[in-house]
Amino acid sequence: LFSELLVKSVFVSFPLDLQRQILRCLTLMLRLSPPFGLLMCIGEIVVNEVNFVRKCIAVDSSREDLWGKLICTNFKVSFITHDTLQLQKFQYTNRLLGEHDIPLACVEQVVTVNDAKGKQKVLGSNQKLKFNPTELIIYCKDFRIVRFRFDEAGPESAKKVCLAVAHYSHPADPQLLFGFEFAWKRHHSARLNGVDIEGGPQVPLFDRPSDWDREIKRTGASEWRVCSINEGYAISPSLPEYFVVPVSLADQDLKQYSGFFAGQRLPLWCWNHPNGSALVRMASIKDPVQQRKLDQRICTAITKSHPKRSDVLKSDLDKSLPNIQDIQTAFVRLRQICVIEPFEESEERWLSSMEGSRWLEYVRAFLKHAAEVVYMLEGQHASVILQEDEDRDLSCVISSLVLIMLDPHYRSLVGFQGLVQREWVMAGHRFLDRCNHLKKNDKEESPLFLLLLDCVWQLLNQYPTAFEFTETYLTVLSDSMWIPIFSTFLFNCPRQRAEHCREFVQSKNSVREFNMLRFPCVWDWDQQFSRKDQALFNSPLYVGKGTSCIHNGTVKTFRRTKKTYSSTLRGLPSLPNGMLMEVETLPRRNSLAQRLRPDFSVAREAPESPSERFFREWLTRPADPHGLLLPQLLPSHLRLWKLYFLRWVPETQIPRGGPITAFHRLSLLADEIEALQAQLRRCGSASTSTSTVSTPNISHSESSRMYFKARSPDDLSSPPEYLTSSFPFSPVGNLCRRNILGTPFSKFLSGAKIWLSTETLASETL
């Protein structure tokens, strides 16, 4: 009280003009300061906000709804509430986003509703709203549907917030994405505080020759070299500055050849097999006159790089795989089945609807084609060229899958991240267009990266011991596409990122600092999650190469013993086309099979092709997590990725059930094994005294790779109550379908490629 009186007395003694300036500054500071409870990033500002907003939680009643403040910033839509959700006992938080936050890049559509007038409208950028909204529905790209009610809020404030969300979620230019302002303010803040922001994850970014040299050395590609003719993007605008080419091709020849390829994209080396065969990506040749000549020269150079001078096979991806529009159509249908349609209405025909979406059919097609390329490299010892029109879409998926099947390095966490960085980011995949960050051209949108993650999940689901990471990691990686802070998923190619950074710095009148504008990398997971939460990325079943074990106090290296196993250990073997191989069975009495036996015997006498023999022999052996992996392609083997597609649907949740229960138990066992191994190592290194043996390992809980720890207070005989089949994600408040009020969901996605079939659904009876 004394200090307040002292401040007031001093303030009154100031001149009147000075008092007004101080009040003006204080008012501005209050406006710019974040509201209480709002998590703000560097460069983030509040655009509009509205109080007394109700976030809908339940479908039919409002008893469980949350009351709070709805805020729109230049980065996200945030809901601040002091109410707590039930059964929310675990803490898995994103350091950049709050519990109820939605990044603006994740917003697919903004729908406003007026109950009294019976009107609703899909809002876009710079559009007018002629009625006062009573409800706001946000459809998200990660399959969430979030509803807010404005029954007690001010109508003008509610309208301004709705218009702000629609405007800032439709940026007119890439430089209006929040990542630019974040990187700029982050750089200046670090410079003022003397902090070095150059540090990051130990993942090769392949933006320098040394990263490529290490990969050449790791794979033993001695007949390949790093090429630097595209420095400054002088040859191709979409290729990286450094890439790998055959030693026999000179730089002068490559410069001459580049003009005949689509986008001036010269062939890109992907990987070398230990037998000498190579995997190469190549764009189509525009000039039909030069096509045969260039094909012969490229194939000759690749043949010379092979120690046995084996043939070069070409795989035309445009003719063998569905195009990006077909993939987008299947994805939209899948989203409608999983999220839009009421679950209770589509339950009877859910499986047939899922099959009709053709999503899993396309997943199978990509896995099957990748397995065929694997056979060419592994079985035929031949080099393979993946040819696509522009070499920026389908080839990214196939090359990544082939490398994951062949090389166990890419099944580790660091290896997989380096693979995505090399085959997607640096190779020029159009993330800006395919993710439709600017929401300008729906025809260019296609979830190719999500398709890759789904294919990887299918392999992980079939061979869990071969992968270091979990499906939680794949899901979080997919969600990171909609956080416009990381440059990984923001641009179409490295050159576009460099150009926009230069233009943005010029707009700030600071041309000298162009090279200092650096976006953070998504692989630096410390920016999003704590080390404890990152432990959910680690699989308890993974057996890394050279994993140590303890035998009679001696540390030994794990090696798999070779034994003869029955093929029944992995189910009935399937051929690469997914058909079951014929198995001898005893026919039933009076069965027609006995009469038809001669026809079957004739079919069995058909000669077995080399590819069928290759797959049959591999499928009859036990899968080696450190060796070749081939996908099982029968319908019973390919499943829906439930953690991603159904995590927000309350009807599909299994309390204390699902795969997470097995993950919980295996994590406890793995953590206990790690603790015992640490104690045995300590006993072997120190003097074998009783006190040393009985001393607990205090630092083990901090160094453990597992999220669930055997020696924690939560170590119970049964799974914790907060575990559900969607862990660590919660559907509460993130998917609320309208039952009585609002638009009938049967009219959503009526044959369109967007969430609503028309921009304005006015005058529709509710």
Coordinates of all heavy atoms in Angstrom, one line a residue, residues 440-512:
K440 N -4.7 -22.0 -52.0 CA -5.0 -21.3 -53.2 C -5.5 -22.3 -54.3 O -6.4 -22.0 -55.1 CB -3.8 -20.5 -53.7 CG -3.5 -19.3 -53.0 CD -2.3 -18.5 -53.6 CE -2.1 -17.2 -53.0 NZ -1.0 -16.4 -53.6
N441 N -4.8 -23.5 -54.4 CA -5.1 -24.4 -55.5 C -5.3 -25.8 -54.9 O -4.4 -26.5 -54.5 CB -3.9 -24.4 -56.4 CG -4.2 -25.1 -57.7 OD1 -5.2 -25.7 -57.9 ND2 -3.3 -25.0 -58.7
D442 N -6.6 -26.2 -54.8 CA -6.9 -27.5 -54.3 C -6.5 -28.6 -55.3 O -6.3 -29.8 -54.8 CB -8.4 -27.6 -54.1 CG -8.9 -26.7 -53.0 OD1 -8.1 -26.4 -52.1 OD2 -10.1 -26.2 -53.1
K443 N -6.3 -28.3 -56.5 CA -5.9 -29.3 -57.5 C -4.5 -29.8 -57.3 O -4.1 -30.9 -57.7 CB -6.0 -28.8 -58.9 CG -7.5 -28.5 -59.3 CD -7.6 -28.0 -60.8 CE -9.0 -27.8 -61.2 NZ -9.1 -27.3 -62.6
E444 N -3.6 -29.0 -56.6 CA -2.2 -29.3 -56.4 C -2.1 -30.0 -55.0 O -1.0 -30.6 -54.7 CB -1.4 -28.1 -56.4 CG -1.3 -27.4 -57.7 CD -0.5 -28.2 -58.7 OE1 0.4 -29.0 -58.3 OE2 -0.8 -28.1 -59.9
E445 N -3.1 -30.0 -54.2 CA -3.0 -30.6 -52.9 C -3.1 -32.2 -53.0 O -3.9 -32.7 -53.7 CB -4.2 -30.2 -52.0 CG -4.1 -30.6 -50.6 CD -5.2 -30.0 -49.7 OE1 -6.0 -29.3 -50.2 OE2 -5.2 -30.3 -48.5
S446 N -2.2 -32.8 -52.2 CA -2.1 -34.3 -52.2 C -1.3 -34.7 -51.0 O -0.2 -34.2 -50.8 CB -1.5 -34.8 -53.5 OG -1.6 -36.2 -53.6
P447 N -1.8 -35.7 -50.2 CA -1.1 -36.1 -49.0 C -0.1 -37.2 -49.2 O -0.1 -38.3 -48.7 CB -2.3 -36.6 -48.1 CG -3.2 -37.2 -49.1 CD -3.1 -36.3 -50.4
L448 N 0.9 -36.9 -50.1 CA 1.9 -37.9 -50.4 C 2.8 -38.2 -49.2 O 3.2 -39.4 -49.0 CB 2.8 -37.4 -51.6 CG 2.1 -37.3 -52.9 CD1 2.9 -36.6 -53.9 CD2 1.8 -38.7 -53.4
F449 N 3.2 -37.2 -48.4 CA 4.0 -37.5 -47.2 C 3.3 -38.3 -46.2 O 3.8 -39.2 -45.6 CB 4.5 -36.2 -46.6 CG 5.5 -36.4 -45.5 CD1 6.8 -36.9 -45.8 CD2 5.2 -36.1 -44.2 CE1 7.7 -37.1 -44.8 CE2 6.2 -36.3 -43.2 CZ 7.4 -36.8 -43.5
L450 N 2.0 -38.0 -46.0 CA 1.2 -38.9 -45.1 C 1.0 -40.3 -45.7 O 1.0 -41.2 -44.9 CB -0.2 -38.2 -44.9 CG -1.2 -39.0 -44.1 CD1 -0.7 -39.1 -42.6 CD2 -2.6 -38.4 -44.1
L451 N 1.0 -40.4 -47.0 CA 0.9 -41.8 -47.6 C 2.2 -42.5 -47.3 O 2.2 -43.7 -47.0 CB 0.8 -41.6 -49.1 CG 0.7 -42.9 -49.9 CD1 -0.5 -43.7 -49.6 CD2 0.8 -42.7 -51.4
L452 N 3.4 -41.8 -47.3 CA 4.6 -42.5 -47.0 C 4.6 -42.9 -45.5 O 5.0 -44.1 -45.2 CB 5.8 -41.5 -47.2 CG 7.1 -42.0 -46.5 CD1 7.7 -43.1 -47.3 CD2 8.1 -40.9 -46.4
L453 N 4.1 -42.1 -44.6 CA 4.1 -42.4 -43.2 C 3.1 -43.6 -42.9 O 3.4 -44.4 -42.1 CB 3.7 -41.2 -42.4 CG 4.6 -40.0 -42.4 CD1 4.0 -38.9 -41.5 CD2 6.0 -40.4 -42.0
D454 N 2.1 -43.7 -43.7 CA 1.1 -44.8 -43.5 C 1.8 -46.1 -44.0 O 1.7 -47.1 -43.4 CB -0.1 -44.5 -44.3 CG -1.3 -45.4 -43.9 OD1 -1.0 -46.5 -43.3 OD2 -2.4 -45.1 -44.1
C455 N 2.5 -46.0 -45.1 CA 3.3 -47.2 -45.6 C 4.3 -47.6 -44.6 O 4.5 -48.8 -44.4 CB 3.9 -46.9 -47.0 SG 2.8 -46.7 -48.3
V456 N 5.0 -46.7 -44.0 CA 6.0 -47.0 -43.0 C 5.4 -47.6 -41.8 O 5.9 -48.6 -41.2 CB 6.8 -45.7 -42.6 CG1 7.8 -46.0 -41.5 CG2 7.6 -45.2 -43.8
W457 N 4.2 -47.1 -41.4 CA 3.5 -47.7 -40.3 C 3.1 -49.1 -40.6 O 3.1 -50.0 -39.7 CB 2.2 -46.9 -40.0 CG 1.4 -47.5 -38.8 CD1 1.7 -47.3 -37.5 CD2 0.3 -48.4 -38.9 NE1 0.8 -48.0 -36.8 CE2 -0.1 -48.7 -37.6 CE3 -0.4 -48.9 -40.0 CZ2 -1.1 -49.6 -37.3 CZ3 -1.4 -49.8 -39.7 CH2 -1.8 -50.1 -38.4
Q458 N 2.7 -49.4 -41.8 CA 2.3 -50.8 -42.2 C 3.5 -51.7 -41.9 O 3.4 -52.8 -41.4 CB 1.9 -50.9 -43.6 CG 0.7 -50.1 -44.0 CD -0.6 -50.5 -43.3 OE1 -0.7 -51.7 -42.9 NE2 -1.6 -49.7 -43.3
L459 N 4.7 -51.3 -42.4 CA 5.9 -52.1 -42.1 C 6.3 -52.2 -40.6 O 6.6 -53.3 -40.1 CB 7.1 -51.5 -42.9 CG 7.1 -51.5 -44.4 CD1 8.2 -50.6 -45.0 CD2 7.2 -52.9 -44.9
L460 N 6.1 -51.1 -39.9 CA 6.4 -51.1 -38.5 C 5.4 -52.0 -37.8 O 5.8 -52.7 -36.8 CB 6.2 -49.7 -38.0 CG 6.6 -49.4 -36.5 CD1 7.1 -48.0 -36.4 CD2 5.4 -49.6 -35.6
N461 N 4.1 -52.0 -38.2 CA 3.1 -52.9 -37.6 C 3.4 -54.4 -37.9 O 3.1 -55.2 -37.0 CB 1.8 -52.5 -38.1 CG 0.6 -53.2 -37.4 OD1 0.6 -53.3 -36.2 ND2 -0.3 -53.8 -38.1
Q462 N 4.0 -54.7 -39.0 CA 4.3 -56.1 -39.3 C 5.7 -56.5 -38.7 O 5.8 -57.7 -38.4 CB 4.4 -56.3 -40.9 CG 3.0 -56.0 -41.5 CD 3.1 -56.1 -43.0 OE1 4.1 -56.6 -43.6 NE2 2.1 -55.7 -43.7
Y463 N 6.6 -55.6 -38.6 CA 8.0 -55.9 -38.1 C 8.4 -54.9 -37.0 O 9.2 -54.1 -37.2 CB 9.0 -55.9 -39.2 CG 8.6 -56.8 -40.4 CD1 8.1 -56.2 -41.6 CD2 8.7 -58.2 -40.3 CE1 7.8 -57.0 -42.6 CE2 8.3 -58.9 -41.4 CZ 7.9 -58.3 -42.6 OH 7.5 -59.1 -43.7
P464 N 7.7 -55.0 -35.8 CA 8.0 -54.0 -34.8 C 9.4 -54.0 -34.2 O 9.9 -52.9 -33.8 CB 6.9 -54.3 -33.7 CG 6.6 -55.7 -33.9 CD 6.7 -56.0 -35.4
T465 N 10.1 -55.1 -34.3 CA 11.4 -55.1 -33.7 C 12.5 -54.5 -34.6 O 13.6 -54.3 -34.2 CB 11.8 -56.6 -33.4 OG1 11.8 -57.3 -34.7 CG2 10.9 -57.2 -32.4
A466 N 12.1 -54.2 -35.9 CA 13.1 -53.7 -36.8 C 13.1 -52.1 -36.8 O 14.0 -51.6 -37.5 CB 12.7 -54.1 -38.2
F467 N 12.2 -51.5 -36.1 CA 12.2 -50.0 -36.1 C 12.5 -49.4 -34.7 O 11.9 -49.9 -33.7 CB 10.8 -49.5 -36.6 CG 10.6 -49.8 -38.1 CD1 10.1 -51.1 -38.4 CD2 10.8 -48.9 -39.0 CE1 9.8 -51.3 -39.8 CE2 10.6 -49.1 -40.4 CZ 10.1 -50.4 -40.8
E468 N 13.3 -48.4 -34.7 CA 13.6 -47.8 -33.4 C 12.5 -46.9 -33.0 O 12.4 -46.6 -31.8 CB 14.9 -47.0 -33.6 CG 15.4 -46.4 -32.3 CD 16.7 -45.5 -32.5 OE1 17.1 -45.3 -33.6 OE2 17.3 -45.1 -31.4
F469 N 11.7 -46.3 -33.9 CA 10.7 -45.3 -33.5 C 9.3 -46.0 -33.5 O 9.2 -47.2 -33.9 CB 10.7 -44.2 -34.5 CG 10.7 -44.6 -36.0 CD1 9.6 -44.9 -36.7 CD2 11.9 -44.6 -36.6 CE1 9.6 -45.3 -38.0 CE2 12.0 -45.0 -38.0 CZ 10.8 -45.3 -38.6
T470 N 8.4 -45.3 -33.0 CA 7.0 -45.8 -32.7 C 6.0 -45.1 -33.6 O 6.4 -44.1 -34.3 CB 6.6 -45.6 -31.3 OG1 6.6 -44.2 -31.0 CG2 7.6 -46.3 -30.3
E471 N 4.8 -45.6 -33.6 CA 3.7 -44.9 -34.4 C 3.4 -43.5 -33.8 O 2.9 -42.7 -34.5 CB 2.5 -45.8 -34.4 CG 1.8 -46.1 -33.1 CD 0.5 -46.8 -33.3 OE1 -0.1 -46.7 -34.4 OE2 0.1 -47.5 -32.4
T472 N 3.7 -43.3 -32.5 CA 3.5 -42.0 -31.9 C 4.4 -41.0 -32.6 O 4.0 -39.9 -32.9 CB 3.8 -42.0 -30.4 OG1 2.8 -42.9 -29.8 CG2 3.6 -40.7 -29.8
Y473 N 5.6 -41.4 -32.8 CA 6.6 -40.6 -33.5 C 6.1 -40.2 -34.9 O 6.1 -39.1 -35.4 CB 8.0 -41.2 -33.6 CG 8.9 -40.6 -34.6 CD1 9.6 -39.4 -34.3 CD2 9.1 -41.1 -35.9 CE1 10.4 -38.7 -35.2 CE2 9.9 -40.5 -36.8 CZ 10.6 -39.3 -36.4 OH 11.4 -38.7 -37.3
L474 N 5.6 -41.2 -35.7 CA 5.1 -41.0 -37.0 C 3.9 -40.0 -37.0 O 3.8 -39.1 -37.9 CB 4.7 -42.3 -37.7 CG 5.8 -43.3 -38.0 CD1 5.2 -44.6 -38.5 CD2 6.8 -42.7 -38.9
T475 N 3.0 -40.1 -36.0 CA 1.9 -39.3 -35.9 C 2.3 -37.8 -35.6 O 1.8 -36.9 -36.1 CB 0.9 -39.8 -34.8 OG1 0.6 -41.2 -35.1 CG2 -0.4 -39.0 -34.8
V476 N 3.2 -37.7 -34.6 CA 3.7 -36.3 -34.3 C 4.4 -35.7 -35.4 O 4.3 -34.5 -35.7 CB 4.6 -36.4 -33.0 CG1 5.3 -35.1 -32.8 CG2 3.8 -36.8 -31.8
L477 N 5.2 -36.5 -36.2 CA 5.8 -36.0 -37.4 C 4.8 -35.5 -38.4 O 5.0 -34.4 -39.0 CB 6.7 -37.0 -38.0 CG 7.5 -36.7 -39.2 CD1 8.4 -35.5 -39.0 CD2 8.3 -37.8 -39.8
S478 N 3.7 -36.2 -38.6 CA 2.7 -35.7 -39.5 C 2.1 -34.4 -39.0 O 1.8 -33.5 -39.8 CB 1.7 -36.8 -39.7 OG 0.6 -36.4 -40.5
D479 N 1.8 -34.3 -37.7 CA 1.2 -33.1 -37.1 C 2.2 -31.9 -37.3 O 1.7 -30.8 -37.4 CB 0.9 -33.3 -35.6 CG -0.2 -34.3 -35.4 OD1 -1.0 -34.5 -36.4 OD2 -0.4 -34.8 -34.3
S480 N 3.5 -32.2 -37.3 CA 4.4 -31.1 -37.4 C 4.4 -30.4 -38.8 O 4.9 -29.3 -38.9 CB 5.8 -31.6 -37.2 OG 6.0 -32.1 -35.9
M481 N 3.7 -31.0 -39.8 CA 3.6 -30.4 -41.1 C 2.7 -29.1 -41.0 O 2.8 -28.2 -41.8 CB 2.9 -31.3 -42.1 CG 3.8 -32.4 -42.6 SD 3.1 -33.2 -44.0 CE 1.6 -34.0 -43.3
W482 N 1.9 -29.0 -39.9 CA 0.9 -27.9 -39.8 C 1.4 -26.9 -38.8 O 0.6 -26.1 -38.3 CB -0.5 -28.5 -39.4 CG -0.8 -29.7 -40.2 CD1 -1.1 -30.9 -39.8 CD2 -0.9 -29.7 -41.7 NE1 -1.4 -31.8 -40.8 CE2 -1.3 -31.1 -42.0 CE3 -0.7 -28.8 -42.7 CZ2 -1.5 -31.5 -43.3 CZ3 -0.9 -29.3 -44.0 CH2 -1.3 -30.6 -44.3
I483 N 2.6 -27.0 -38.4 CA 3.2 -26.0 -37.5 C 4.2 -25.1 -38.3 O 5.3 -25.5 -38.6 CB 4.0 -26.6 -36.3 CG1 3.0 -27.5 -35.5 CG2 4.6 -25.5 -35.4 CD1 3.6 -28.2 -34.3
P484 N 3.7 -23.9 -38.8 CA 4.5 -23.2 -39.7 C 5.7 -22.4 -39.1 O 5.9 -21.3 -39.4 CB 3.5 -22.2 -40.3 CG 2.6 -21.9 -39.1 CD 2.5 -23.2 -38.4
I485 N 6.5 -23.1 -38.3 CA 7.7 -22.6 -37.7 C 8.9 -23.2 -38.3 O 9.9 -22.6 -38.5 CB 7.6 -22.8 -36.2 CG1 6.6 -21.8 -35.6 CG2 9.0 -22.6 -35.6 CD1 6.5 -21.9 -34.1
F486 N 8.8 -24.5 -38.7 CA 9.9 -25.3 -39.2 C 9.9 -25.2 -40.7 O 8.9 -25.3 -41.4 CB 9.8 -26.7 -38.8 CG 9.5 -26.9 -37.3 CD1 8.3 -27.3 -36.8 CD2 10.5 -26.6 -36.4 CE1 8.0 -27.4 -35.5 CE2 10.3 -26.7 -35.0 CZ 9.0 -27.1 -34.6
S487 N 11.1 -25.0 -41.3 CA 11.2 -24.8 -42.7 C 11.1 -26.2 -43.5 O 10.9 -26.2 -44.7 CB 12.6 -24.2 -43.1 OG 13.6 -25.1 -42.6
T488 N 11.1 -27.3 -42.7 CA 11.1 -28.6 -43.3 C 9.9 -28.8 -44.3 O 10.1 -29.4 -45.4 CB 11.1 -29.7 -42.2 OG1 12.2 -29.3 -41.3 CG2 11.4 -31.0 -42.8
F489 N 8.8 -28.4 -43.8 CA 7.5 -28.7 -44.6 C 6.9 -27.4 -45.1 O 5.7 -27.4 -45.4 CB 6.5 -29.4 -43.7 CG 7.1 -30.7 -43.1 CD1 7.1 -30.8 -41.7 CD2 7.6 -31.7 -43.9 CE1 7.6 -32.0 -41.2 CE2 8.1 -32.8 -43.3 CZ 8.1 -33.0 -42.0
L490 N 7.6 -26.3 -45.3 CA 7.0 -25.0 -45.7 C 7.2 -24.7 -47.1 O 6.5 -23.9 -47.7 CB 7.6 -23.9 -44.8 CG 6.9 -23.6 -43.5 CD1 7.5 -22.4 -42.9 CD2 5.4 -23.5 -43.6
F491 N 8.2 -25.3 -47.8 CA 8.6 -24.8 -49.1 C 8.6 -25.9 -50.2 O 8.6 -27.1 -49.8 CB 10.0 -24.1 -49.1 CG 10.1 -23.0 -48.1 CD1 10.7 -23.2 -46.8 CD2 9.6 -21.7 -48.4 CE1 10.7 -22.2 -45.9 CE2 9.7 -20.7 -47.5 CZ 10.2 -20.9 -46.2
N492 N 8.6 -25.5 -51.4 CA 8.7 -26.4 -52.5 C 10.1 -26.9 -52.8 O 10.2 -28.0 -53.5 CB 8.1 -25.8 -53.8 CG 6.6 -25.6 -53.7 OD1 5.9 -26.3 -52.9 ND2 6.0 -24.7 -54.4
C493 N 11.1 -26.2 -52.5 CA 12.4 -26.6 -52.7 C 13.4 -25.7 -52.0 O 13.0 -24.6 -51.5 CB 12.8 -26.5 -54.3 SG 12.5 -24.9 -55.0
P494 N 14.7 -26.0 -51.8 CA 15.6 -25.2 -51.1 C 15.8 -23.8 -51.7 O 15.9 -22.8 -51.0 CB 16.9 -25.9 -51.1 CG 16.5 -27.4 -51.3 CD 15.3 -27.3 -52.2
R495 N 15.7 -23.7 -53.0 CA 15.9 -22.4 -53.6 C 14.7 -21.4 -53.3 O 14.9 -20.2 -53.0 CB 16.0 -22.5 -55.2 CG 16.1 -21.2 -55.9 CD 16.1 -21.3 -57.4 NE 16.1 -20.0 -58.0 CZ 16.2 -19.8 -59.3 NH1 16.3 -20.8 -60.1 NH2 16.2 -18.5 -59.8
Q496 N 13.5 -22.0 -53.3 CA 12.3 -21.1 -52.9 C 12.5 -20.6 -51.5 O 12.2 -19.4 -51.2 CB 11.1 -21.9 -53.0 CG 9.8 -21.1 -52.8 CD 8.5 -21.9 -52.7 OE1 8.4 -22.9 -51.9 NE2 7.6 -21.6 -53.6
R497 N 13.0 -21.4 -50.6 CA 13.2 -21.0 -49.2 C 14.2 -19.8 -49.2 O 14.1 -18.8 -48.5 CB 13.7 -22.1 -48.3 CG 14.0 -21.7 -46.9 CD 14.6 -22.9 -46.2 NE 15.8 -23.4 -46.8 CZ 16.5 -24.5 -46.4 NH1 16.0 -25.3 -45.5 NH2 17.6 -24.8 -47.1
A498 N 15.3 -20.0 -49.9 CA 16.4 -19.0 -50.0 C 15.9 -17.6 -50.6 O 16.1 -16.6 -50.0 CB 17.6 -19.4 -50.8
E499 N 15.1 -17.7 -51.6 CA 14.5 -16.5 -52.3 C 13.6 -15.8 -51.3 O 13.6 -14.6 -51.2 CB 13.8 -16.9 -53.6 CG 14.8 -17.3 -54.7 CD 14.1 -17.7 -56.0 OE1 12.8 -17.8 -55.9 OE2 14.8 -17.8 -57.0
H500 N 12.7 -16.5 -50.7 CA 11.7 -15.9 -49.8 C 12.4 -15.3 -48.6 O 12.0 -14.2 -48.1 CB 10.6 -16.9 -49.4 CG 9.6 -17.1 -50.4 ND1 8.8 -16.1 -50.9 CD2 9.2 -18.2 -51.1 CE1 8.0 -16.6 -51.9 NE2 8.2 -17.9 -51.9
C501 N 13.4 -15.9 -48.1 CA 14.2 -15.4 -47.0 C 14.9 -14.1 -47.4 O 14.9 -13.1 -46.6 CB 15.2 -16.4 -46.5 SG 14.5 -17.8 -45.6
R502 N 15.4 -14.0 -48.6 CA 16.1 -12.8 -49.1 C 15.1 -11.7 -49.2 O 15.3 -10.5 -48.8 CB 16.8 -13.1 -50.4 CG 17.6 -11.9 -51.0 CD 18.2 -12.2 -52.3 NE 19.1 -13.3 -52.3 CZ 18.8 -14.5 -52.8 NH1 17.6 -14.7 -53.4 NH2 19.7 -15.5 -52.8
E503 N 13.9 -12.0 -49.8 CA 12.9 -10.9 -50.0 C 12.3 -10.4 -48.7 O 12.1 -9.3 -48.5 CB 11.8 -11.5 -50.9 CG 12.2 -11.8 -52.3 CD 11.1 -12.5 -53.1 OE1 10.0 -12.7 -52.5 OE2 11.3 -12.8 -54.3
F504 N 12.2 -11.4 -47.7 CA 11.7 -11.0 -46.4 C 12.6 -10.1 -45.7 O 12.2 -9.0 -45.1 CB 11.4 -12.2 -45.6 CG 10.8 -11.9 -44.2 CD1 9.4 -11.7 -44.1 CD2 11.6 -11.9 -43.1 CE1 8.8 -11.4 -42.9 CE2 11.0 -11.6 -41.8 CZ 9.6 -11.4 -41.7
V505 N 13.9 -10.4 -45.7 CA 14.9 -9.5 -45.1 C 15.0 -8.2 -45.8 O 15.2 -7.1 -45.1 CB 16.3 -10.2 -45.1 CG1 17.4 -9.3 -44.6 CG2 16.3 -11.5 -44.2
Q506 N 14.9 -8.1 -47.1 CA 14.9 -6.9 -47.8 C 13.7 -6.0 -47.4 O 13.8 -4.8 -47.3 CB 14.8 -7.1 -49.3 CG 16.1 -7.7 -49.9 CD 16.0 -8.0 -51.4 OE1 15.0 -7.9 -52.0 NE2 17.2 -8.4 -52.0
S507 N 12.5 -6.6 -47.2 CA 11.4 -5.9 -46.7 C 11.6 -5.3 -45.3 O 10.9 -4.3 -44.9 CB 10.1 -6.8 -46.7 OG 10.2 -7.8 -45.7
K508 N 12.5 -5.9 -44.6 CA 12.8 -5.3 -43.2 C 14.0 -4.3 -43.3 O 14.5 -3.9 -42.3 CB 13.2 -6.5 -42.3 CG 12.1 -7.5 -42.0 CD 11.0 -6.9 -41.2 CE 10.0 -7.9 -40.9 NZ 8.9 -7.4 -40.0
N509 N 14.5 -4.0 -44.5 CA 15.6 -3.1 -44.8 C 16.8 -3.5 -44.1 O 17.6 -2.7 -43.4 CB 15.2 -1.6 -44.3 CG 14.0 -1.1 -45.0 OD1 13.9 -1.3 -46.3 ND2 13.1 -0.4 -44.3
S510 N 17.1 -4.8 -44.2 CA 18.3 -5.3 -43.6 C 18.9 -6.4 -44.5 O 18.9 -7.6 -44.2 CB 18.0 -5.9 -42.2 OG 19.2 -6.4 -41.6
V511 N 19.4 -6.0 -45.6 CA 19.9 -6.9 -46.6 C 21.1 -7.7 -46.1 O 21.3 -8.9 -46.5 CB 20.2 -6.2 -48.0 CG1 20.7 -7.1 -49.0 CG2 19.0 -5.4 -48.4
R512 N 21.9 -7.1 -45.3 CA 23.1 -7.7 -44.9 C 22.8 -9.0 -44.0 O 23.7 -9.8 -43.9 CB 24.0 -6.8 -44.0 CG 24.5 -5.6 -44.8 CD 25.3 -4.6 -43.9 NE 25.8 -3.5 -44.7 CZ 26.5 -2.5 -44.1 NH1 26.8 -2.5 -42.9 NH2 26.9 -1.5 -44.9

